[in-house]
Amino acid sequence: MYFCYTCLTAVDSIRDKLPQLKLPVQIAIVKHAGEVDGKSTAAHLPVLAPEHVRIYTFPDIPAFNPADVLLLFPGENAQPLERLWEENQNMLASAASPCVICGKEHIRIPWKTLIFIDSTWKQTRRIYLDAKVQGLPCAVLEGGRSSFWRPQRGKPSSWLATAEAVHMAVTRLLELQGCAGHVDDLLFFFRFFHAKIRSRYRRDLAVSE
């Protein structure tokens, strides 16, 4: 075990070896109670960015302020992230703020918190239809391709694992700001487990041959 799925902290033997990230926005992950911890990539994120990532177990979720948040989910009224960015920048009148990634000043991100739903597709609809989630501004990420080793059956490769979706969303925001920095270490555990599983698969395949 590399981290605790309950307290979401790394074990002592590797804690000082892990990257610790600061993000330009807060990340709220709404997890279905039926989601198996070991099958989700959401738990990776608060270990790597503890000051900026929080996981809520549905239905115990806060009442989000629609003016401050953006839900990343392919809902009925969802629009591409880039389109919502443009619309909100017109209202912000080019307000700027210092970047926690590179230290330079960039156009301010219109949202304080990005919200993600962490569950199977069957479980997702119940969360999305909850009164605290319905009505929140909603965006979709276009152009993604998942490398998750446990994809949902019958779903396209554009359906990202939670860690992939968070990484892609934050990366897109940094690009829209004009920031040259990156948050690739959000995928630290994702890449580690991906490589480990691929290595095991190749070894098992070689034995079977």
Side-chain angles (χ1 to χ4, degrees), residues 39-52:
K39 292 185 176 181
S40 170
T41 61
H44 304 176
L45 304 174
V47 179
L48 299 168
E51 296 179 10
H52 294 87

Side-chain angles (χ1 to χ4, degrees), residues 112-146:
K112 294 180 180 179
T113 303
L114 301 184
I115 304 172
F116 298 81
I117 296 176
D118 182 61
S119 69
T120 64
W121 180 245
K122 290 182 179 180
Q123 298 165 340
T124 294
R125 188 161 183 80
R126 183 181 173 193
I127 297 176
Y128 178 65
L129 294 176
D130 185 83
K132 292 181 180 179
V133 177
Q134 275 285 298
L136 296 178
C138 192
V140 290
L141 296 169
E142 297 182 328
R145 185 177 179 84
S146 180

